[in-house]
Amino acid sequence: EGRPNEREESLRWLVAATFCNTWTERGIPGERLGSLEAVESLVEQSDRLLGIVLYSDMINRTQAALQSEHKKLGVPFDFKLPTDVLVERLKQVMVWRCFPMGEL
């Protein structure tokens, strides 16, 4: 009975190893987060943030959308910073929140 769970977990880690470089390129330190669930959550959050930025840019509401995301995460917002810096700041907060205590 334990074998299907072991097989599933092994398959998940194989997928993780395959995508590890992709995560690193996106600023997600998958190997340091401690669990595949944390990595998956962070990838979803990062993709959601990117979607918000792309959509908001189309309707000229990028600053308002980023200000809202900063507020949700409790991060100070600075209108003077360029969009890429604001997005990177949000991603860094998301990454830090996913780290296990031993990595902080």
Side-chain angles (χ1 to χ4, degrees), residues 4-97:
N5 290 337
E6 290 173 21
R7 185 175 295 151
E8 183 178 313
E9 188 65 19
S10 295
L11 182 59
R12 291 180 75 210
W13 280 108
L14 178 61
V15 169
T18 302
F19 287 102
C20 191
N21 287 338
T22 303
W23 296 332
T24 302
E25 290 171 8
R26 294 178 63 185
I28 299 171
E31 69 283 349
R32 294 180 56 204
L33 293 178
S35 76
L36 194 52
E37 289 78 16
V39 174
E40 290 169 344
S41 173
L42 193 52
V43 168
E44 288 174 11
Q45 291 175 56
S46 180
D47 288 347
R48 186 183 67 77
L49 178 61
L50 179 60
I52 288 170
V53 170
L54 291 175
Y55 175 74
S56 299
D57 191 42
M58 289 179 3
I59 61 170
N60 296 319
R61 301 273 303 152
T62 304
Q63 290 289 317
L66 288 174
Q67 183 178 18
S68 175
E69 291 302 306
H70 275 74
K71 185 176 181 179
K72 286 179 191 174
L73 293 175
V75 179
F77 182 79
D78 185 347
F79 282 100
K80 295 178 233 151
L81 294 175
T83 298
D84 60 329
V85 173
L86 294 169
V87 169
E88 188 59 32
R89 177 188 284 180
L90 289 171
K91 285 175 64 177
Q92 287 299 314
V93 170
M94 291 175 190
V95 168
W96 279 90
R97 287 187 173 180

